[in-house]
Amino acid sequence: MKRPSYWKLFGFGFLLLVCRKIVIACMAMYIVWQNWEDVGFERLINNPSLKDAVVQMDTNRSGLILILNKHALNMTYNWLCNTQNIPGVHEHSYIVTLDQESSSALKKSWPSVKQINIVVPGLKDPFNYGDGYYQLFYLFRANLARAILHYNRSFWMIQQDTFWNDSLLNIDTEKEENVDILFDRASDKGPLVAGGYYHAKPTSNSKNYFAKLAKDISWWYAPDNAYMTSLCEVSGLAKCGRLSFDLITNWQWLQGTSSGIPPKFIQFDGETKLGGKLAKNTKYILESRISQWDKVASSSHKQFKMYQDIVDSFYSTRIGAAVMNHFILPYAHYCMLSM
């Protein structure tokens, strides 16, 4: 009997992995389908808590929007303590709580910080990158952006897994003319959006952009930062700007920088294990002038580093950038990350 070649075995194994990924994608989007009404645009713009909050937002200064459920309370407390002495941050912050437990806890611990309570049963439990509830969170965040823009308020979407050495409110968002949305970056080598931080102005372009984003990720399995990058690069819906990677950086700071000067904002994304972010968000690590990669990087960080290097290599050529923007980011990014 003739033994199958290595290429045939490889092809068969690859086909099994693709089939597995299709099953995972279908299961994830089924969860979104079951819960999409709870995070729908119409429901959000009619939420009394959101209506009250946007009335309070300064028309001349952007609000800082932060989202959490009860499982992110400790990290949120960490961020609130970190920023309590930075002028204007707490005064312009609006914390969106997804369950009653986190709402009650925040009112008790930080009563002066404004809160928007939007209960979403499907987002009350922990969720991880790539699963259906994380996909539901992406849809919620896109529709929340639409809802705030609907009321003609500009805002910063932010995350609590970040150490702040300054205030985002000090960033001149008018510096780049006609920019509708200003995004953070996944690296300093390409246009890939990180997605944790962005500033949106209430322009018709921004409204159309987030409407398109919400519509597409309501039925298509893709991480929102990848899809946002693709929309910025190929759709022409809105003019997208990029923040300097030296201003808001991510886990790559653990590798050290040539200058040794800490960035203003350091986000600890790229960690898939629950609780892993909070343990690493310490002032000592962030302000160290030498690389902490070998001491702190997890297997998740190492995986993300490998794929970020691949993305950067694609963006180094015109053909590679076209493949990335038109195919990989909108259609195959999850497969690449978690085959």
Side-chain angles (χ1 to χ4, degrees):
M1 183 177 178
K2 188 177 180 180
R3 298 175 65 182
S5 67
Y6 287 114
W7 281 111
K8 287 184 177 180
L9 289 174
F10 175 81
F12 181 70
F14 182 78
L15 182 62
L16 287 178
L17 288 173
V18 171
C19 292
R20 170 183 173 272
K21 196 61 186 179
I22 290 173
V23 171
I24 291 173
C26 290
M27 291 172 63
M29 296 316 297
Y30 179 70
I31 289 173
V32 175
W33 178 78
Q34 286 182 308
N35 294 273
W36 73 269
E37 287 187 350
D38 291 335
V39 300
F41 174 64
E42 295 295 331
R43 179 174 183 265
L44 294 187
I45 62 174
N46 292 314
N47 180 279
S49 184
L50 179 61
K51 285 184 177 181
D52 292 341
V54 293
V55 169
Q56 298 178 55
M57 287 185 185
D58 192 335
T59 56
N60 297 315
R61 202 158 198 188
S62 302
L64 303 170
I65 308 299
L66 188 152
I67 309 169
L68 77 149
N69 64 16
K70 61 185 177 182
H71 299 283
L73 274 171
N74 284 345
M75 190 177 294
T76 305
Y77 293 154
N78 189 58
W79 179 82
L80 286 167
C81 290
N82 168 206
T83 57
Q84 64 180 333
N85 294 321
I86 302 177
V89 172
H90 284 200
E91 290 81 357
H92 291 87
S93 294
Y94 297 83
I95 299 183
V96 179
T97 52
L98 300 174
D99 52 56
Q100 200 55 51
E101 293 90 337
S102 59
S103 176
S104 300
L106 277 170
K107 286 177 181 177
K108 182 178 179 180
S109 302
W110 295 87
S112 62
V113 178
K114 292 178 284 291
Q115 187 183 135
I116 303 171
N117 187 226
I118 306 175
V119 175
V120 181
L123 295 178
K124 65 180 176 62
D125 295 321
F127 43 83
N128 269 325
Y129 187 84
D131 69 26
Y133 293 106
Y134 212 146
Q135 198 71 26
L136 182 67
F137 174 75
Y138 289 148
L139 181 57
F140 171 79
R141 187 164 59 178
N143 277 325
L144 178 62
R146 291 178 66 196
I148 298 170
L149 294 173
H150 171 79
Y151 287 107
N152 294 314
R153 295 293 190 272
S154 62
F155 67 93
W156 279 100
M157 190 68 74
I158 67 173
Q159 293 189 173
Q160 56 269 68
D161 60 347
T162 309
F163 181 83
W164 287 34
N165 272 326
D166 201 345
S167 172
L168 275 178
L169 301 173
N170 293 333
I171 296 176
D172 183 6
T173 56
E174 303 296 328
K175 188 176 181 180
E176 295 186 56
E177 291 186 11
N178 302 319
V179 168
D180 301 295
I181 313 167
L182 191 59
F183 288 100
D184 59 359
R185 301 172 62 180
S187 79
D188 60 354
K189 298 181 178 66
L192 182 65
V193 166
Y197 281 74
Y198 58 82
H199 180 269
K201 299 175 184 176
T203 64
S204 59
N205 289 343
S206 292
K207 294 173 184 179
N208 291 335
Y209 177 96
F210 283 105
K212 172 70 172 172
L213 173 67
K215 178 183 177 182
D216 289 354
I217 63 175
S218 69
W219 65 272
W220 184 252
Y221 184 60
D224 66 346
N225 71 304
Y227 212 85
M228 287 191 289
T229 305
S230 180
L231 286 179
C232 282
E233 296 298 307
V234 304
S235 74
L237 287 170
K239 184 174 180 181
C240 302
R242 298 294 194 279
L243 294 162
S244 168
F245 189 67
D246 292 332
L247 180 70
I248 301 179
T249 190
N250 55 24
W251 50 267
Q252 295 180 66
W253 165 245
L254 296 174
Q255 300 174 84
T257 64
S258 58
S259 66
I261 301 173
K264 300 287 186 181
F265 308 91
I266 306 99
Q267 184 184 9
F268 273 85
D269 56 354
E271 179 59 71
T272 58
K273 292 182 179 179
L274 293 174
K277 292 184 178 182
L278 183 62
K280 295 187 171 87
N281 194 3
T282 64
K283 189 177 179 68
Y284 170 76
I285 291 174
L286 296 175
E287 294 190 346
S288 174
R289 292 176 178 270
I290 59 174
S291 173
Q292 299 289 326
W293 182 256
D294 292 335
K295 298 177 183 178
V296 182
S298 66
S299 59
S300 299
H301 286 129
K302 293 172 183 176
Q303 182 186 18
F304 273 87
K305 181 183 184 304
M306 179 180 68
Y307 286 121
Q308 186 62 59
D309 290 343
I310 294 173
V311 169
D312 289 339
S313 68
F314 268 86
Y315 274 120
S316 66
T317 67
R318 183 176 296 181
I319 294 176
V323 171
M324 184 63 63
N325 293 328
H326 288 271
F327 176 70
I328 294 178
L329 293 184
Y331 303 120
H333 189 59
Y334 263 141
C335 292
M336 185 178 74
L337 279 175
S338 51
M339 181 64 80

